Each structure stands twice: as structure tokens, then as C-alpha cells.
Amino acid sequence: MDSPARMPWTFVIALSGAQLISWGTVFYGFALFMDPMMAELGWSRPETTAAFSLGLVASALCAVPAGRLIDLGYGRALMTGGSALAALLLALWSRVESYPAFVALWILLGATMSAILYEPGFAVLQRRLGPAARRGITVMTLVGGLASTVFIPLTHLLIERLGWRPALLALAVLNLSVCAAIHLLVIPPQRPRLEREAAPPPSSDPRRVLRKAAFWGFVATVVIQGVLSTGLPIHLLPILTERGFSLDAAVAAYALIGPAQTSARFAVGWAERALGIRAIGLLTLGLGVAAQALLPFIPPGSGTVAVFALLYGASNGLMTILRALLPSDLFGREDYGTILGMIAAPANLARALGPFVFGVLWAVTGSYDGVILACLGMAMASLGAYLLTLWAAREPARKTLP
């Protein structure tokens, strides 16, 4: 492994660039494709978001196996194959005509998320960098945090100029020519762990965390945040347009989320050693409560929406770092990829519910007012769950650190 003094920056930056493209094309773009698809194909909003939700269910089911494969040394094959499959599925999406085919495509796209988004990226960094992985993870989240800033306007422009089907083909080309190439060329071809070692270390049992109350407290935190992290971004543009904002103004506000994520992560990169990851978690969830408490009171067309976007973006950005770093702080680095997958699995199931539940709530009530109030309640509940996590971990943490 590379020491902190010899950080392999080419590896870190290249892998981070692939994250930016993967998030921007596979995850964030969906919000912009919904309306033109519904207009052309006649599908309802709940039907469309249901396919996205099923994709996140598939991502959840694949999270633990994906993490285990990386722990065993198959990171390059997993991430390269995931990017190549994502490119193929985006191309097939551009040809879709029937709703069942669209659902099937999104189930498969969801499975690819477990191989190309943050959790596998974090696990590959941890495996390659060891104790220096914290620096690499911070850089990866800094670059990946720009995904919405880059790809929301870019995808909006592509759809306007080319139409939604050719826009999907352009995104498919990026996944194949850039992401798959980076994963193939940059991730080292490590031999599987079981070939290098006669037996795993005696402490190698990821199921040990299931006996810890802190594990379940943190799972509750990320599960609640998971609903918010998908439900709100997917519905944010229609929420803002319903509240009196033009589509261009809503897109501009959405584009602020990325810089807020990046700025918050950059600040944490300097402050993490002084404050500690647990204190940063309190800041993360407190900012989320502040953002959701502000949203109901933003007047139509008001510039105050920028404050909401900045608060929400900062909280969302820091949550990514918290999700990546707190598990090793609480449970050690052994079996990191598998434990991260164990946390990601229920979190991704919750993320799967967000877009669909918010869409159904909108359909039932006829407006987004109920969704906005639900977001505030969930932000407060996640803060409470995190406080319980800290309480449960206050003594055992010293024993589980590597």
C-alpha cells in the first residue's frame, strides 16, 4: 500500500473523475429525463419514479456482494464491468418504447450503481491506500460533488438541443469511453485475497458489527437520510416550479447544490483532524434540519432558495464523507468493503422508496406541501438517530479502532 507521503494522486484523481461522470449520467440525469419521457410515452410520474426506485432496490441487493468482491481483490473487474454495462443500458434506454422494458432497464442500471458509485470507489481507495484512504476519500467526494453542477446543466442542454433519446446516447458514450477505460487502466490488477493469504485474519468477520448498537444506530441514520437523498433531488425541480419558480431558475438553484457539497467537503478536509468525524456528523445533520426547516417558508420566486440549496448541498455532501469514514472509526478497517455494503444495503432500499413515495404523496394530495413537511420530519429523525449512535459508541469505539 502507498504511504501518506507517497499518495498516488493520478490514481485518486482519475478514479474521482470517473465518479463525477457516473453520478452525473446514471443518477442525477434521471430528474431531467422524466418530463420529456412522460410527454412522449404517456407515463405518469409515479410510474416513472417507480422504475427508478426499483433500480435502487437492485442496487441495495447487490451492495454486500459488491463490497465483498472488492475485499477479495476483484475491484478492477467489478468497476470496469459496471461502467461498460451502464453504457450499454443507457444506449438501450434511448430506444425504449414500452414501460416493462423501461422497468427492466432500470433494475439493471440499479445493479450497476452498486459497482460504480461511491461505495465501491471508497472500498477500492481503502484497499489501495490503507491509512491514507481518508485523504483519497475526501478528494473523491470533492470531485464527485460537482456531478450535479456539471451534469444537470449539461444534460438539460443536451435534451434541449438534441432531444432526450440522443442525449442518452451521448451519456452512454461517456460511460464507455471514459469511466470504463479509467477503471480498467487505473485500478491495479490485485490478486484475490484468498490467493495471497493461507487464511483470512482471525478477526475477519464482518458480521461482528451486527452485535453493536452503534451499527444499528448509524444504519437508522443513513436509512432516513437515504430517503431524503433520492426523494428530494428527483422531485426538487417540480417542487420549485410548483412554488412559483421558472424551470431555468429551478435548474440554477439545483446547480448550487454541487458547489455547496464541494465547499463543505473541502472545509471538512481541513477540519476533520481538529473536530473529529463524529463532531462533523453533528454538523452534517444539523445543516440538514436547517435546510428542511427553511424550505416551507421560501416565497415564490425568492432568491432565498439559494440559501436552501447551499444548506442542503452542504449537508448532503458531508453525509457522503460521514458514511465513508465513520464505519472505519467505529469498527476498524478490516472487511471495510463488506461492512460498507452492509450499511449501504438498507440505506439503498430506503433510497428506493424516496422518489416513489414522494411521487405518490404528490399524486394523493395534489401538491408538494406534504412532501416538504415529510422532509423536515425525516431530517429531525435522522439527527435523533445519530445522537443515539454517538451515545452507543462512546465506550466501544476505542476498542474497535485499528
Side-chain angles (χ1 to χ4, degrees):
M1 291 184 183
D2 297 88
S3 68
R6 299 182 57 192
M7 176 71 73
W9 288 114
T10 299
F11 168 74
V12 172
I13 296 298
L15 208 59
S16 300
Q19 285 290 319
L20 183 147
I21 296 171
S22 295
W23 275 100
T25 57
V26 178
F27 182 85
Y28 284 111
F30 185 87
L32 293 170
F33 286 105
M34 278 200 306
D35 286 343
M37 283 177 51
M38 290 189 297
E40 178 181 329
L41 300 172
W43 302 336
S44 68
R45 191 174 302 274
E47 284 177 326
T48 308
T49 54
F52 187 85
S53 296
L54 288 172
L56 294 179
V57 171
S59 177
L61 295 176
C62 294
V64 175
R68 193 59 179 166
L69 284 172
I70 294 173
D71 284 340
L72 294 174
Y74 296 104
R76 183 169 74 163
L78 179 73
M79 297 197 77
T80 302
S83 290
L85 181 58
L88 173 62
L89 293 169
L90 288 170
L92 291 175
W93 182 5
S94 73
R95 308 288 296 174
V96 75
E97 296 288 348
S98 73
Y99 182 70
F102 176 64
V103 171
L105 283 171
W106 259 98
I107 290 173
L108 293 174
L109 271 170
T112 68
M113 290 184 192
S114 68
I116 62 175
L117 296 186
Y118 274 143
E119 278 77 14
F122 295 154
V124 166
L125 286 177
Q126 179 73 49
R127 184 175 177 84
R128 171 81 187 276
L129 304 180
R134 287 193 172 208
R135 297 172 66 196
I137 286 171
T138 299
V139 171
M140 178 174 282
T141 58
L142 283 171
V143 176
L146 295 172
S148 62
T149 303
V150 173
F151 279 92
I152 290 292
L154 176 60
T155 305
H156 181 58
L157 180 64
L158 287 172
I159 292 172
E160 278 195 337
R161 297 290 177 85
L162 304 177
W164 69 272
R165 293 182 186 273
L168 282 167
L169 286 175
L171 300 183
V173 169
L174 280 176
N175 275 270
L176 185 61
S177 63
V178 180
C179 297
I182 286 174
H183 293 147
L184 178 63
L185 298 175
V186 172
I187 300 175
Q190 295 166 310
R191 290 177 298 148
R193 185 176 72 182
L194 294 180
E195 292 181 9
R196 302 196 314 271
E197 302 173 3
S203 63
S204 179
D205 180 10
R207 292 173 296 179
R208 68 186 184 277
V209 300
L210 299 177
R211 299 187 293 271
K212 298 180 181 292
F215 172 80
W216 294 108
F218 189 56
V219 165
T221 303
V222 297
V223 161
I224 298 168
Q225 284 291 312
V227 177
L228 286 170
S229 71
T230 54
L232 189 56
I234 293 298
H235 289 274
L236 185 56
L237 295 181
I239 284 174
L240 294 179
T241 55
E242 182 181 278
R243 296 183 71 81
F245 293 87
S246 67
L247 179 58
D248 287 342
V251 169
Y254 202 144
L256 291 174
I257 293 173
Q261 290 181 156
T262 301
S263 299
R265 290 166 181 169
F266 184 79
V268 161
W270 291 98
E272 193 268 331
R273 288 184 179 274
L275 297 179
I277 190 62
R278 302 185 191 195
I280 288 170
L282 289 173
L283 174 64
T284 299
L285 295 160
L287 288 172
V289 171
Q292 303 304 334
L294 176 64
L295 184 57
F297 301 102
I298 298 176
S302 169
T304 310
V305 70
V307 179
F308 160 78
L310 293 172
L311 289 171
Y312 172 73
S315 176
N316 204 41
L318 294 180
M319 190 64 206
T320 302
I321 292 181
L322 184 68
R323 198 174 71 233
L325 298 183
L326 193 65
S328 61
D329 182 73
L330 295 177
F331 314 120
R333 292 194 301 270
E334 186 66 37
D335 298 310
Y336 173 82
T338 307
I339 292 171
L340 210 61
M342 292 166 67
I343 295 170
N348 286 349
L349 285 173
R351 291 170 66 190
L353 293 175
F356 180 66
V357 170
F358 285 7
V360 169
L361 186 56
W362 169 84
V364 169
T365 63
S367 78
Y368 275 109
D369 291 344
V371 171
I372 292 171
L373 291 177
C375 287
L376 176 58
M378 285 185 287
M380 295 175 67
S382 67
L383 175 58
Y386 183 70
L387 290 172
L388 291 175
T389 301
L390 296 185
W391 179 84
R394 66 195 188 285
E395 290 301 331
R398 293 188 180 90
K399 300 176 183 178
T400 57
L401 283 172

